[in-house]
Amino acid sequence: MVLKFRKRDWTRDPELVVIDTILEQRRELYEIVMHDLRELNKDSIMGRKDIPTVEQIVRAAIYKEIKVLNYRDLEYAEEDSRICGEFLKLNGREPFSYQVLQKYISKISAETLKKLLIEINKIAIENGLEDGKRITTDSTVVETDIHHPTDNALVWDSIKKLNRLFRQINKAVPKLKLRNTTKQAKKNYYKINVSKNGKREGLFVLQLKILKRDIKRARKTVDLLVDIENADYAEELRDTVEVIEKVYEAAFRREILGESVPSSEKIFSIHEKHTDIIVKGSRAVKFGHKVNLAIGKSNLILDCIIPDGNPKDTDLYQDTMRNISENYKVKIQDGVTDGGYASKANAEFAKKLGLINIIFNKVVGSLKNTAVSKHIETKLKKWRSTIEAVISNIKRGFDLRRCEWKGRMHFDAKVFWSVIAYNIRVMASLLLKKFSLA
């Protein structure tokens, strides 16, 4: 790999030079995302010719993540920074608006980004930066952008959501004349927040009556909208009611009947319906998704899994090891994890996969670590803590503690973009170090 400092300005950001060189010499990376951006290839007969190329979209997304920018900041950087303009290959043309950048970057799916991550890691393996023989894995939680989901807040959110839709429908179809019920519901919401147990139940009964009436009105409105062939609002209202009915059911069972509602039957946000409740040991409860990461000796992230629900770490170990072995065609020799992944089934799986050193930081019962020597076992246990630093780096350095992207598909995509940006930065650092020593 030959670094090309094409212009004097590039010397000010050698890390970006390395990234540019990788993207310039490995054109096949763009072909991976081509499928998700098929419409870019369509020729427009009329209108402005301001659609970015696939290469510009990928470069813009990487630049955005590496510099930790939002879309408005990215648009400003295009105008303000010559290095940014050069990296995005604007070639003197007008910068793209943040709406255009957001539109096309958000079209790239998490499945595509996972393939892109694997190909980037293969480049690292080809250049001798990683061999995939030593693996450690750990999980973390990335929160969704929601407030703490109390029953009172969820019921109030549901009432607001329905009445917001009613207002929109009133504008589109004035003859329906849907009444707004948020005034009394808002008063009840604040009273419930400050009330004691004796008055709380009575206030909740009133609040749930309001929600129940709104749900009934919404069902009737759906039928009316279908009759007048207004399918868009009918479908949106129908989908919203399905979610809000679950909120009503859970709140009624908990607050009125005093039942304990299983997590699988709860809704934690009517806006981010995919949100899971995550409990890790004795630590605080978080709302988002578990993310399982695996790194090699180079600190590159070789595998990323975002499961549904809150599975045990033991359930993620085999998929992680299998993915690394199959994706990179490597034979893993050393596997070290914390005690959360320890189980006889996982130890047996690792042996079948050909691992020589199988280390769990804590073992219980008859389970024992497998290592060629005590010295190697101790060395691997010390190295295992590296992944905690990597997770901290990603969450703090790439703004991944809380994902503000909306919807499950975009949530997963944001996680993978951050992992890709982290890996590219690590690769750039390793290559610069390699070239400086050459």
Side-chain angles (χ1 to χ4, degrees):
M1 183 176 291
V2 180
L3 297 183
K4 295 181 180 180
F5 291 81
R6 295 194 299 273
K7 292 186 178 181
R8 178 173 57 83
D9 289 341
W10 284 88
T11 60
R12 302 176 187 273
D13 198 336
E15 179 184 72
L16 215 56
V17 173
V18 177
I19 298 170
D20 177 74
T21 304
I22 294 170
L23 295 174
E24 191 70 37
Q25 296 182 3
R26 305 306 290 258
R27 311 293 297 180
E28 66 271 17
L29 295 177
Y30 303 122
E31 296 176 7
I32 297 172
V33 303
M34 186 74 76
H35 178 75
D36 291 347
L37 302 170
R38 240 182 277 173
E39 64 189 60
L40 292 177
N41 296 325
K42 295 179 181 178
D43 293 326
S44 175
I45 299 174
M46 299 177 65
R48 295 171 57 190
K49 307 280 186 177
D50 61 351
I51 298 178
T53 64
V54 173
E55 180 178 5
Q56 287 172 323
I57 293 168
V58 173
R59 284 172 172 266
I62 291 172
Y63 188 91
K64 171 183 176 294
E65 293 298 324
I66 287 175
K67 301 297 184 181
V68 196
L69 306 174
N70 59 37
Y71 285 105
R72 291 178 186 268
D73 292 338
L74 180 58
E75 180 184 358
Y76 178 80
E78 290 179 274
E79 186 78 47
D80 182 65
S81 171
R82 286 181 293 181
I83 294 178
C84 177
E86 185 74 18
F87 184 76
L88 269 56
K89 293 185 175 294
L90 292 179
N91 299 324
R93 66 179 293 176
E94 288 293 316
F96 302 110
S97 68
Y98 71 89
Q99 295 100 325
V100 168
L101 294 169
Q102 190 274 338
K103 175 183 177 181
Y104 289 106
I105 290 174
S106 65
K107 287 181 180 292
I108 304 175
S109 67
E111 292 76 13
T112 298
L113 292 173
K114 189 167 189 176
K115 295 176 184 176
L116 185 62
L117 174 66
I118 292 169
E119 290 304 313
I120 290 170
N121 288 334
K122 286 180 178 178
I123 296 172
I125 293 172
E126 290 173 13
N127 284 273
L129 306 178
E130 175 60 59
D131 57 16
K133 293 181 179 179
R134 179 183 295 178
I135 302 297
T136 182
T137 182
D138 201 357
S139 64
T140 187
V141 179
V142 177
E143 296 180 338
T144 48
D145 192 26
I146 66 171
H147 58 68
H148 191 76
T150 62
D151 287 326
N152 187 27
L154 285 170
V155 170
W156 169 231
D157 285 346
S158 300
I159 294 171
K160 284 193 295 182
K161 175 71 172 179
L162 282 175
N163 280 274
R164 191 178 298 122
L165 283 173
F166 290 158
R167 286 197 297 272
Q168 293 173 4
I169 293 169
N170 275 334
K171 290 180 180 179
V173 190
K175 65 180 181 180
L176 292 181
K177 296 180 181 180
L178 298 171
R179 188 169 62 88
N180 190 302
T181 60
T182 56
K183 187 174 181 180
Q184 184 58 48
K186 187 175 183 179
K187 291 179 181 179
N188 292 339
Y189 166 71
Y190 285 113
K191 286 180 181 178
I192 291 170
N193 270 346
V194 298
S195 66
K196 296 182 179 179
N197 292 335
K199 296 182 178 179
R200 180 183 173 87
E201 184 177 334
L203 289 168
F204 237 106
V205 169
L206 294 175
Q207 192 76 322
L208 288 174
K209 281 183 179 178
I210 293 174
L211 180 57
K212 188 68 175 178
R213 285 199 298 267
D214 283 348
I215 291 173
K216 288 181 179 178
R217 282 199 301 152
R219 287 193 192 126
K220 291 180 181 178
T221 304
V222 169
D223 295 335
L224 291 172
L225 290 170
V226 170
D227 291 340
I228 62 177
E229 298 183 353
N230 197 320
D232 292 339
Y233 278 119
E235 185 177 356
E236 184 179 1
L237 192 57
R238 187 186 295 111
D239 293 343
T240 302
V241 168
E242 287 181 6
V243 175
I244 289 175
E245 283 180 332
K246 294 180 181 178
V247 172
Y248 175 86
E249 182 70 20
F252 184 83
R253 289 170 61 186
R254 277 173 50 86
E255 300 293 338
I256 309 303
L257 302 181
E259 296 181 9
S260 178
V261 181
S263 297
S264 59
E265 298 177 23
K266 294 179 184 176
I267 295 290
F268 300 105
S269 172
I270 63 169
H271 305 292
E272 299 297 316
K273 301 183 287 291
H274 57 91
T275 301
D276 293 321
I277 181 171
I278 308 295
V279 183
K280 293 195 72 178
S282 59
R283 282 169 279 183
V285 173
K286 293 187 178 182
F287 298 93
H289 292 292
K290 179 177 279 191
V291 178
N292 195 72
L293 302 173
I295 67 170
K297 67 177 183 180
S298 62
N299 290 343
L300 288 169
I301 297 173
L302 301 179
D303 190 59
C304 175
I305 298 175
I306 311 172
D308 294 323
N310 185 24
K312 296 179 181 178
D313 287 347
T314 49
D315 298 335
L316 302 172
Y317 180 85
Q318 295 185 22
D319 287 340
T320 298
M321 291 299 184
R322 188 184 297 110
N323 288 345
I324 294 172
S325 179
E326 293 177 356
N327 290 335
Y328 306 109
K329 309 302 180 192
V330 295
K331 186 175 181 180
I332 305 171
Q333 295 181 357
D334 307 325
V336 53
T337 68
D338 64 22
Y341 294 86
S343 73
K344 288 185 178 180
N346 288 342
E348 289 297 323
F349 177 83
K351 287 179 182 178
K352 291 179 181 178
L353 205 59
L355 273 71
I356 299 172
N357 299 299
I358 306 166
I359 310 297
F360 301 106
N361 209 39
K362 292 180 182 179
V363 291
V364 293
S366 59
L367 180 63
K368 293 182 179 181
N369 288 328
T370 302
V372 295
S373 69
K374 192 68 178 177
H375 171 71
I376 293 296
E377 181 178 353
T378 303
K379 185 178 178 180
L380 288 173
K381 282 184 176 180
K382 288 181 178 179
W383 175 71
R384 186 207 66 82
S385 61
T386 303
I387 194 169
E388 295 176 7
V390 170
I391 290 173
S392 178
N393 188 327
I394 293 174
K395 296 181 79 170
R396 295 172 186 272
F398 296 87
D399 199 21
L400 200 59
R401 284 174 289 187
R402 189 180 185 90
C403 178
E404 297 182 356
W405 291 24
K406 305 300 181 185
R408 178 59 192 268
M409 291 177 61
H410 292 153
F411 178 97
D412 291 358
K414 167 59 180 171
V415 172
F416 275 103
W417 272 125
S418 296
V419 170
I420 287 170
Y422 164 82
N423 271 17
I424 289 179
R425 173 164 279 176
V426 171
M427 281 179 61
S429 177
L430 292 172
L431 286 169
L432 283 171
K433 184 178 180 181
K434 182 178 180 180
F435 291 135
S436 65
L437 295 176

